[in-house]
Amino acid sequence: MDPNRMDDGFLQRYGSEEACIGELYRNKWPDGYFCPVCRHRRASVIRTRRLPLYECRKCRHQTSLTAGTVMEKSKTPLRKWFLSIYWLGKGANARELSRLIQVTYKTAWLIGHKIRNAMRLAASELPLGGSVQVNEDRYEATSFSSLFNQNRKRQPMLAGATLSEEGSLLRVKLYQVPASHLLDGRVAKIAFQTFIEKCALPESKVRIAAGIYNSARHRPLSRLCRDASRWLNTTFYGIRPKHLQAYLDEFGYRFHIGSAELPLLLELSRQCASRRVITYRQLTRKVS
């Protein structure tokens, strides 16, 4: 990825720190400022800091521009955050992002996961409904050489989709099956129950195809899972189980928004301005 070949529309909209401040303000308060404590709609602006601070004229509560966003308490300039959204939208991994926005690998990795968490939260508000198909599937290596590896690792997962009357995929959810829901390496019934409870509306008409070789599996959904594995392996060179669900959520979110760059950028910018931050400690803690 060449940082000198950026979209002119992006540069016009996010080309400076001041422009990014204005964009974040509009995304955070699309109807204008309101106090998070008393809901008053007028504030005094304090500009003695790197980013403006807003003091409610009624209750005097002070709130920063990044409070309540994925950028909260970050020392990274806003322009680099918006650049990150842009490059992640194009499929950059953490190592590429580190080079493109000139930060350490650790910072790039953390920014990527904070943005990815905003995608996860947005996707959680889009449940499956209507006619729902659930396939058992797996995430695995997709290189040609891996086809001959008898010991290649596979991560069981479930794939669900809202189907149109013609059987096309309208909305998708990919779910990493936890070890506690495996029985002798097989996906247990509780995994399907948990997935349906978490990802589908109660009134949905759900069809389940358990087993990798079940002839009742929905073929377009199976192809989507192969595409997801291929994308994860090509873009990120494989994902370990600890963070696999975050990347599956990203894939599902991208499916929902579509591949057009500007809509993805604008929607993801809005999500980052309204979603709570996830910390490095939360991301790296051991899973019990």
Side-chain angles (χ1 to χ4, degrees), residues 85-98:
I85 294 171
Y86 175 84
W87 289 118
L88 286 173
K90 285 182 169 292
N93 57 41
R95 195 166 300 282
E96 291 169 329
L97 187 61
S98 172

Side-chain angles (χ1 to χ4, degrees), residues 221-234:
L221 190 53
S222 297
R223 286 195 295 271
L224 180 93
C225 289
R226 288 197 296 272
D227 290 343
S229 289
R230 192 175 297 112
W231 177 73
L232 291 174
N233 294 331
T234 302

Side-chain angles (χ1 to χ4, degrees), residues 115-132:
I115 294 173
R116 203 165 283 115
N117 189 57
M119 297 184 193
R120 179 187 67 81
L121 293 172
S124 69
E125 297 173 356
L126 301 169
L128 304 175
S131 177
V132 174

Side-chain angles (χ1 to χ4, degrees), residues 6-25:
M6 297 187 65
D7 182 77
D8 290 339
F10 174 86
L11 291 175
Q12 290 176 3
R13 193 175 185 115
Y14 307 99
S16 68
E17 188 73 359
E18 283 300 316
C20 292
I21 288 173
E23 187 69 13
L24 181 56
Y25 181 96

Side-chain angles (χ1 to χ4, degrees), residues 13-214:
R13 193 175 185 115
Y14 307 99
S16 68
E17 188 73 359
E18 283 300 316
C20 292
I21 288 173
E23 187 69 13
L24 181 56
Y25 181 96
R26 288 187 290 273
N27 286 331
K28 180 182 174 71
W29 292 307
D31 299 319
Y33 165 88
F34 66 87
C35 175
V37 175
C38 71
R39 316 296 286 182
H40 190 66
R41 303 198 67 88
R42 298 187 67 187
S44 301
V45 184
I46 302 170
R47 299 187 182 275
T48 55
R49 299 186 176 190
R50 179 175 63 89
L51 295 175
L53 192 66
Y54 299 86
E55 183 178 275
C56 175
R57 292 190 178 180
K58 183 178 180 181
C59 72
R60 303 303 177 189
H61 174 79
Q62 294 182 345
T63 184
S64 71
L65 187 60
T66 58
T69 75
V70 301
M71 301 94 160
E72 186 171 344
K73 296 182 180 180
S74 172
K75 296 180 181 179
T76 304
L78 285 185
R79 187 167 186 272
K80 291 192 176 185
W81 272 98
F82 281 100
L83 282 170
S84 299
I85 294 171
Y86 175 84
W87 289 118
L88 286 173
K90 285 182 169 292
N93 57 41
R95 195 166 300 282
E96 291 169 329
L97 187 61
S98 172
R99 175 180 59 84
L100 290 164
I101 69 171
Q102 299 182 334
V103 297
T104 65
Y105 174 82
K106 178 180 176 181
T107 297
W109 182 89
L110 182 57
I111 287 174
H113 274 283
K114 286 183 175 183
I115 294 173
R116 203 165 283 115
N117 189 57
M119 297 184 193
R120 179 187 67 81
L121 293 172
S124 69
E125 297 173 356
L126 301 169
L128 304 175
S131 177
V132 174
Q133 172 73 37
V134 179
N135 282 4
E136 181 179 334
D137 219 293
R138 59 197 178 191
Y139 163 69
E140 60 185 341
T142 52
S143 64
F144 180 75
S145 60
S146 69
L147 298 177
F148 305 97
N149 183 359
Q150 298 273 333
N151 298 316
R152 69 182 184 272
K153 294 182 178 180
R154 299 180 174 94
Q155 173 61 51
M157 66 178 185
L158 301 180
T162 295
L163 304 180
S164 69
E165 292 183 359
E166 297 77 23
S168 60
L169 309 178
L170 300 178
R171 183 171 293 170
V172 299
K173 298 276 188 181
L174 303 180
Y175 174 71
Q176 178 186 11
V177 179
S180 59
H181 289 177
L182 297 175
L183 186 60
D184 295 329
R186 297 182 179 181
V187 178
K189 185 176 180 181
I190 189 174
F192 292 95
Q193 294 172 339
T194 301
F195 175 77
I196 293 168
E197 290 172 1
K198 289 179 61 175
C199 300
L201 295 172
E203 63 272 18
S204 302
K205 296 179 180 179
V206 182
R207 293 190 299 272
I208 295 175
I212 293 296
Y213 302 107
N214 190 330

